Amino acid sequence: MLGVVIANWNGEKILDKCLESFKLQEFTDYKLYIVDNGSKDKSLNIIRSYEELLNIELIELKENSGFAKANNLGIKKAIGDGCEYILTINNDTELEKDCLSNVMKNIEENKNEFDVYQLFMINFFDRHLCDATGITWDHRLLPSQLGYKQEIESITEKNNDLKGVCAGAAVYSAKSLKAVELENGDYFDSKFFAYYEDVDLSIRLFRKGFKAKLIKNAIIYHIHSATGVKTNGFKEYYMNRNMLVYTKRNLSEKQYNKYKYVYYKIIIANMKNNLNNPKVLKSLYRALIDGIKLAKETKSEVDI
């Protein structure tokens, strides 16, 4: 059985489309673990309306615990139920009807070589454009999202730069997740709350030798940042703060001390670009202060 984990927070406007596409899947041996982050809208009513149509386990949280913790809860449930593979998927997505069947076929054909898989994410509104085919990073661990806004015809099966996967539509083997489990039992680091938790996990998996593969015929349409807020500083805070944390964990002390000023400059540059937006500017300042503090508390897992 495939475990599918969906973290939801106030997703009433997008959940129907997502769950309806699961109802239409050709492959049916899956279970949905929907973790609701204390939604205040009609999300729970929508989810419950599908309980007789889909194999759903609803996990209700009293407050918004963040993307990372919600996914961890769902993953632990799935692994506990014996799922060998877990698909994490955003609630703002729609799957082609053969998506899961193509996922399982690819896993069966490639499981001796790969443990992590990226579904082919396409822009929901402009379906000739790619949204993501995975992630990569440079020597400073600064990440980039592969395929973003590229014409889908330009995306080839071979993607030699694929090092990790975007958790908005990614499959992880239970074996690989257990191998990189943090001391507190997290897979995604819960203190990240949101953003870059998939980069951190991907780097840890990559360091352990787990390889990632793009499944180009497993197509999913994504409404980019549908549940995120772009203008009030939320996204900017967590992206910039978390950058200082995941780099500290995944570089040696020597490497981090060498590159940390590059990260500081990135945050300061972001502050300069938002001088006319006081909310974002304040959030970026807090991100720098909090990020430095959290980085000091984060132990490097690399000995070089």
Side-chain angles (χ1 to χ4, degrees), residues 125-159:
F125 299 105
D126 297 311
R127 297 193 173 189
H128 65 288
L129 293 179
C130 175
D131 187 72
T133 60
I135 56 177
T136 189
W137 51 84
D138 65 13
H139 61 286
R140 301 162 299 183
L141 302 187
L142 294 175
S144 58
Q145 185 168 300
L146 296 171
Y148 185 54
K149 290 188 176 181
Q150 291 182 16
E151 295 282 341
I152 58 174
E153 290 80 5
S154 69
I155 306 297
T156 63
E157 289 288 352
K158 293 183 179 180
N159 194 335

Side-chain angles (χ1 to χ4, degrees), residues 57-76:
E57 180 169 345
L58 174 59
I59 304 165
E60 296 181 51
L61 304 180
K62 293 182 179 180
E63 59 184 10
N64 187 0
S65 65
F67 180 88
K69 183 175 180 179
N71 272 280
N72 286 335
L73 290 172
I75 290 170
K76 286 183 183 297

Side-chain angles (χ1 to χ4, degrees), residues 27-157:
F27 177 82
T28 58
D29 188 20
Y30 65 88
K31 181 176 181 178
L32 291 173
Y33 300 85
I34 304 180
V35 186
D36 185 77
N37 266 323
S39 293
K40 304 302 182 184
D41 62 2
K42 298 178 181 178
S43 288
L44 293 177
N45 291 335
I46 293 171
I47 295 166
R48 292 191 179 109
S49 72
Y50 281 88
E51 286 182 330
E52 293 185 3
L53 304 170
L54 296 168
N55 185 7
I56 293 176
E57 180 169 345
L58 174 59
I59 304 165
E60 296 181 51
L61 304 180
K62 293 182 179 180
E63 59 184 10
N64 187 0
S65 65
F67 180 88
K69 183 175 180 179
N71 272 280
N72 286 335
L73 290 172
I75 290 170
K76 286 183 183 297
K77 285 277 189 178
I79 292 177
D81 287 344
C83 296
E84 293 184 20
Y85 291 89
I86 295 93
L87 166 63
T88 60
I89 196 163
N90 283 0
N91 61 354
D92 56 348
T93 55
E94 179 184 6
L95 289 70
E96 286 280 6
K97 65 180 182 179
D98 61 353
C99 181
L100 295 186
S101 60
N102 288 332
V103 165
M104 299 311 295
K105 182 180 178 181
N106 269 270
I107 288 175
E108 186 60 33
E109 293 175 349
N110 296 281
K111 62 184 179 181
N112 292 330
E113 185 178 0
F114 297 95
D115 279 271
V116 185
Y117 300 86
Q118 176 71 59
L119 279 62
F120 191 29
M121 302 178 75
I122 294 175
N123 186 288
F124 185 89
F125 299 105
D126 297 311
R127 297 193 173 189
H128 65 288
L129 293 179
C130 175
D131 187 72
T133 60
I135 56 177
T136 189
W137 51 84
D138 65 13
H139 61 286
R140 301 162 299 183
L141 302 187
L142 294 175
S144 58
Q145 185 168 300
L146 296 171
Y148 185 54
K149 290 188 176 181
Q150 291 182 16
E151 295 282 341
I152 58 174
E153 290 80 5
S154 69
I155 306 297
T156 63
E157 289 288 352

Side-chain angles (χ1 to χ4, degrees), residues 146-191:
L146 296 171
Y148 185 54
K149 290 188 176 181
Q150 291 182 16
E151 295 282 341
I152 58 174
E153 290 80 5
S154 69
I155 306 297
T156 63
E157 289 288 352
K158 293 183 179 180
N159 194 335
N160 295 327
D161 292 326
L162 179 63
K163 295 178 180 177
V165 291
C166 300
V171 177
Y172 307 87
S173 71
K175 178 182 71 174
S176 69
L177 291 171
K178 291 176 182 177
V180 297
E181 185 176 347
L182 299 175
E183 290 182 0
N184 63 358
D186 278 357
Y187 305 110
F188 295 105
D189 190 339
S190 291
K191 70 172 174 282

